[in-house]
Amino acid sequence: MPQPCSVVIFGASGDLTFRKLIPALYNIAADGDLPAALSVVGFARREKTDDSFRAELHEAARKFSRSGLNEEVWSSFAERVFYHRSEFGEAAGYQRLAERLAELDEERGTCGNRLFYLSVAPSEFEGILQHLAAAGLNKAAEGSWARVIVEKPFGTDLATAQALNGVVSKTFHERDTYRIDHFLGKETAQNIMVLRFANGIFEPLWNHRYIDHVQITAAEPLGVEARGPYYESSGALRDMVQNHLLQLLCLVAMEPPTDLAADSVRDEKVKVIRSLRPMTPEDVARDVVRGQYAAGAIGGAEVKAYRTEDRVSPTSMTETYVALKANVDNWRWAGVPFYIRVGKRLPKGATEIAVQLKNAPSVLFNKGAEDIGANVLVIRIQPDEGISLRMQCKMPGAALRIEPVKMDFHYGTSFGKASPEAYERLLLDAMSGDATLFARRDEVEGAWHFIDLIENAWHAAGPQPPLCEYPAGSWGPKEADDLLARDGRNWRRM
Ligand code: BG6
């Protein structure tokens, strides 16, 4: 259960606050799930009053709330929102914050519980954490708690992630540190464990004996938008694979945890990360494709090349697409490749996991050239969240014709209501003290270890693997198709 608390958002004038955090808190309120005693304090540098801040948030919630805006719910929610102006590096600003939070405890019964949300550039983390500690805000009184939520990017490589973890751990205990990965809050991502461990049918098949390979795809039609400077220093591998896609891979590949406690689940995910086969530069050259979008068209509209986007270098070597083959070297997954692809400016937005089973034996119906295709279990993370199973069926009629059909479950139709946004679930969990859907220190560092080997190979002195162009609106470079074709496989048509 979410507990009474004050949520302090650092970076309250930022995009994330407007697009995600406030709409999420509003929707939790609209569903009646916010703790009765809750205050939200926006901490930022710009000059604003409580009222002007509320007015801006009202506009944002109207635009971005998934359930629309009910003015009555908004008014009672907005009464609990406050603005605190301070520079991030101004010690007195944190003293004033401490006083303000103590007043709110008195006025609103928030019980001394504090949830600090760092929605700021990573370069600000250390300063903010030090000031919180100097103002005594990282320590809670007996019976209360102080937690910190840290937004991505969590480092840019293993060394910076370790340094950042070092900084955070000086101020907050690991059990009070919530590293957010919003993919873990997506309803269907959470359903992977339920699908696997609440059903008897799948788990006996969930291994190298029956599964041929797994494909994880995250496709986006959007380009780099206004995020040129960030993206230039990141690229698709760090932006999406290191965190979101490796997390999905872990959920698919992990062993059943002994129970549902946060650390039991995260222990199993860490074991998967540790089992990822480290890549040599030769492996990277063979098994990782990096691409960048050239000019093209999406949905009939012309779009420009990555190199001509705002604040992007005209000679940029940053990848906007990655396809790779990963191997999980453990008993369950020996010999089963996990293919991952992620890209911007692809024809449509879709994230899914496809688990392809081995072909039926080549007798009776599956002989010679007559390849009838394999069973595929598809977990659609977004949009149209759901799960489908492809199987072969006989077409009605006298002739024996076999066609693939799908058993399909759609969240929308089965449960008749929209799934909550990832941030809603994650904020509620952090208020409840449940860290299961947040990344633990060793997960993040392990993932960077895997990713660094690829980045190092890409940026090594001497010959580097090529950066392959693909037209915006296509499904990525041809080299990504070759990667699977070499193994006698294809990417799924989405
Ligand atoms: C973010 C990345 O973490 O995830 C973005 O920084 C990406 O580049 C986004 O667009 C995708 O998230 P979602 O929820 O829209 O699929």
Side-chain angles (χ1 to χ4, degrees), residues 20 152 182-183 186 220 222-223 227 230-231 239-240 243-244 344 351 382:
K20 297 286 183 193
K152 69 176 276 254
H182 77 283
F183 266 49
K186 291 183 191 278
E220 288 183 282
L222 289 181
R227 299 161 79 215
Y230 156 72
Y231 205 81
D239 185 48
M240 293 285 289
N243 37 56
H244 309 323
K344 295 213 181 274
T351 304
Q382 61 190 20

Side-chain angles (χ1 to χ4, degrees), residues 298-356:
I298 296 190
E302 284 188 10
V303 293
K304 49 184 175 177
Y306 176 72
R307 288 182 179 178
T308 61
E309 297 273 17
D310 183 28
R311 292 177 294 161
V312 165
S313 157
T315 56
S316 173
M317 291 293 285
T318 302
E319 79 287 355
T320 59
Y321 177 100
V322 178
L324 63 82
K325 173 160 107 171
N327 294 284
V328 179
D329 281 341
N330 63 17
W331 191 270
R332 186 191 282 261
W333 295 112
V336 181
F338 283 72
Y339 299 103
I340 292 179
R341 69 177 157 163
V342 53
K344 295 213 181 274
R345 288 287 190 227
L346 300 189
K348 64 186 223 189
T351 304
E352 64 158 53
I353 300 167
V355 178
Q356 178 156 334

Side-chain angles (χ1 to χ4, degrees), residues 372-374 389-395 401-407:
I372 57 174
L389 179 62
R390 185 182 110 132
M391 56 187 137
Q392 311 304 331
C393 268
K394 179 185 166 301
M395 273 182 86
R401 265 191 65 195
I402 298 178
E403 283 290 315
V405 293
K406 271 203 285 188
M407 266 184 4

Side-chain angles (χ1 to χ4, degrees), residues 274-287:
R274 289 205 197 112
S275 310
L276 284 171
R277 187 183 303 163
M279 291 202 193
T280 62
E282 295 71 38
D283 295 336
V284 173
R286 190 189 55 238
D287 291 340

Side-chain angles (χ1 to χ4, degrees), residues 4 71 98 234 247 294 318 374 468:
E71 291 299 341
S234 163
Q247 285 288 344
T318 302
C468 310

Side-chain angles (χ1 to χ4, degrees), residues 107-349:
E107 288 164 20
R108 316 197 71 92
T110 35
C111 302
N113 295 331
R114 283 108 175 69
L115 181 60
F116 298 106
Y117 199 118
L118 302 190
S119 171
V120 292
S123 55
E124 306 281 4
F125 287 171
E126 184 161 11
I128 293 176
L129 291 168
Q130 281 170 353
H131 282 295
L132 282 175
L137 283 166
N138 59 330
K139 300 266 180 289
E142 186 66 26
S144 316
W145 48 259
R147 300 179 187 138
V148 66
I149 301 185
V150 188
E151 258 298 333
K152 69 176 276 254
F154 203 83
T156 50
D157 56 15
L158 177 58
T160 50
Q162 282 171 330
L164 197 52
N165 275 323
V167 167
V168 178
S169 68
K170 276 195 218 131
T171 324
F172 286 90
H173 197 282
E174 177 64 29
R175 76 165 176 261
D176 295 319
T177 304
Y178 290 68
R179 294 175 196 80
I180 212 158
D181 186 311
H182 77 283
F183 266 49
L184 290 179
K186 291 183 191 278
E187 199 61 49
T188 324
Q190 294 169 50
N191 207 9
I192 298 172
M193 265 177 57
V194 177
L195 176 81
R196 291 187 52 196
F197 306 132
N199 293 293
I201 185 171
F202 300 116
E203 208 41 31
L205 306 176
W206 212 260
N207 58 55
H208 65 97
R209 270 178 236 107
Y210 301 101
I211 292 181
D212 180 71
H213 72 278
V214 177
Q215 293 186 15
I216 305 179
T217 302
E220 288 183 282
L222 289 181
V224 69
E225 311 300 298
R227 299 161 79 215
Y230 156 72
Y231 205 81
E232 278 284 89
S233 64
S234 163
L237 188 68
R238 290 183 172 124
D239 185 48
M240 293 285 289
V241 182
Q242 184 272 340
N243 37 56
H244 309 323
L245 297 192
L246 287 185
Q247 285 288 344
L248 294 182
L249 185 151
C250 286
L251 290 171
V252 174
M254 72 186 208
E255 295 301 316
T258 44
D259 54 42
L260 293 176
D263 276 334
S264 309
V265 174
R266 298 190 298 178
D267 285 346
E268 295 307 332
K269 290 199 311 187
V270 161
K271 287 187 207 158
V272 175
I273 295 205
R274 289 205 197 112
S275 310
L276 284 171
R277 187 183 303 163
M279 291 202 193
T280 62
E282 295 71 38
D283 295 336
V284 173
R286 190 189 55 238
D287 291 340
V288 187
V289 176
R290 57 171 173 166
Q292 188 187 71
Y293 61 82
I298 296 190
E302 284 188 10
V303 293
K304 49 184 175 177
Y306 176 72
R307 288 182 179 178
T308 61
E309 297 273 17
D310 183 28
R311 292 177 294 161
V312 165
S313 157
T315 56
S316 173
M317 291 293 285
T318 302
E319 79 287 355
T320 59
Y321 177 100
V322 178
L324 63 82
K325 173 160 107 171
N327 294 284
V328 179
D329 281 341
N330 63 17
W331 191 270
R332 186 191 282 261
W333 295 112
V336 181
F338 283 72
Y339 299 103
I340 292 179
R341 69 177 157 163
V342 53
K344 295 213 181 274
R345 288 287 190 227
L346 300 189
K348 64 186 223 189

